[in-house]
Amino acid sequence: MIKLTEARTIQGVRFGVGAVLNSDAATESQLLAAGVATALPLVLTYTWATKPNYSLTAAGTIINISDVGGEGGSLWKATSAGWVPLNGVVKLASKWGTVASPVATISGSTGALFVPTGGSGSLIIPASMLIPEHSVLRARAVMHRRGINGTATARIYLGTAGTSSDDTAYSLGIAATDTLEIRPDVEIGVVASASMTGTNWMAPGSTGSSPTAVTAMTTNINTAAAMTLSFGMDNANALDSFDLIGYSVLLESL
């Protein structure tokens, strides 16, 4: 694959400066030797914002997205529905600390969001990354409470606001027990552009009852806009403190 640095007529077709060609090896070698073209990598790199339109790209085309998936980016494949991770799964965000040194803390509040700093990736899910009927978002975390002054509710939110007004993907009441730890692991299936279904607190192999175990999500859900995944606490006593020890967020798409 080459990119022309000068306009050229090749095999009867006129190409302008900057044209990208995937021609036969002999033709590309001649143009490179003549100094009128530069070689391009077989996989081109873009940011999520600058990636090509999937509907104008041949199905199966592979690109690298530099700002998704950590250092070096991640490989994505064009399909008729959108861009999907090449092997079906990509990690979007991750950060882990310890009980003594958590990644975020909530203190003096009856309800708030954790605000982690640093880490790999972003908790903001870009517009069009989640594809209806093709994508599932998985969020895992470990939380820790300090204090015995009152019960609380551990929550994971997803939506366009990036606040506790977004829809709840995970909600679990926790007892007023010092050093109690909570381990959310929730899957969120994308049903439509404004509708998702979450597994809430129901663990694999367990049973539960709708609507609390399997949750319909529609508030502030819009796959055509950027959405934020947020970890937080609610219904708490302000004298207690809560820590986010770590989290991971994965996207599965086909």
Side-chain angles (χ1 to χ4, degrees), residues 34 36 51 60 62 65 72 74-75 80-81 141 151-153 172 178 209 215 226 235 249:
V36 297
K51 68 188 182 306
I62 298 170
I65 301 294
S74 53
L75 297 177
S80 60
T151 59
T153 305
L172 182 68
D178 191 31
S209 299
T215 306
N235 304 317
V249 181

Side-chain angles (χ1 to χ4, degrees), residues 21-214:
L21 304 179
N22 188 14
S23 189
D24 60 272
T27 299
E28 290 188 0
S29 295
Q30 291 172 3
L31 293 169
L32 289 170
V36 297
T38 57
L40 293 177
L42 293 179
V43 177
L44 300 180
T45 296
Y46 305 88
T47 63
W48 184 261
T50 62
K51 68 188 182 306
N53 188 321
Y54 71 89
S55 65
L56 302 177
T57 305
T61 298
I62 298 170
I63 63 173
N64 180 64
I65 301 294
S66 62
D67 56 350
V68 178
E71 185 177 358
S74 53
L75 297 177
W76 294 68
K77 176 179 66 176
T79 72
S80 60
W83 289 99
V84 302
L86 179 59
N87 295 313
V89 181
V90 63
K91 179 171 278 192
L92 300 181
S94 183
K95 186 174 185 181
W96 290 85
T98 65
V99 172
S101 182
V103 302
T105 294
I106 295 172
S107 296
S109 175
T110 59
L113 301 181
F114 290 107
V115 184
T117 57
S120 299
S122 173
L123 292 172
I124 299 175
I125 317 300
S128 77
M129 182 175 283
L130 297 177
I131 306 173
E133 300 183 14
H134 291 263
S135 298
V136 175
L137 196 63
R138 184 176 183 183
R140 298 175 292 185
V142 175
M143 303 173 182
H144 176 85
R145 72 164 290 154
R146 291 177 281 124
I148 58 172
N149 298 286
T151 59
T153 305
R155 296 191 186 275
I156 299 177
Y157 302 95
L158 178 67
T160 55
T163 69
S164 59
S165 66
D166 287 333
D167 217 329
T168 302
Y170 177 89
S171 177
L172 182 68
I174 57 177
T177 304
D178 191 31
T179 71
L180 189 69
E181 288 167 349
I182 312 98
R183 187 177 181 274
D185 189 340
V186 62
E187 292 183 281
I188 307 165
V190 184
V191 179
S193 60
S195 174
M196 298 184 184
T197 298
T199 58
N200 203 346
W201 46 260
M202 190 168 60
S206 69
T207 60
S209 299
S210 296
T212 55
V214 176

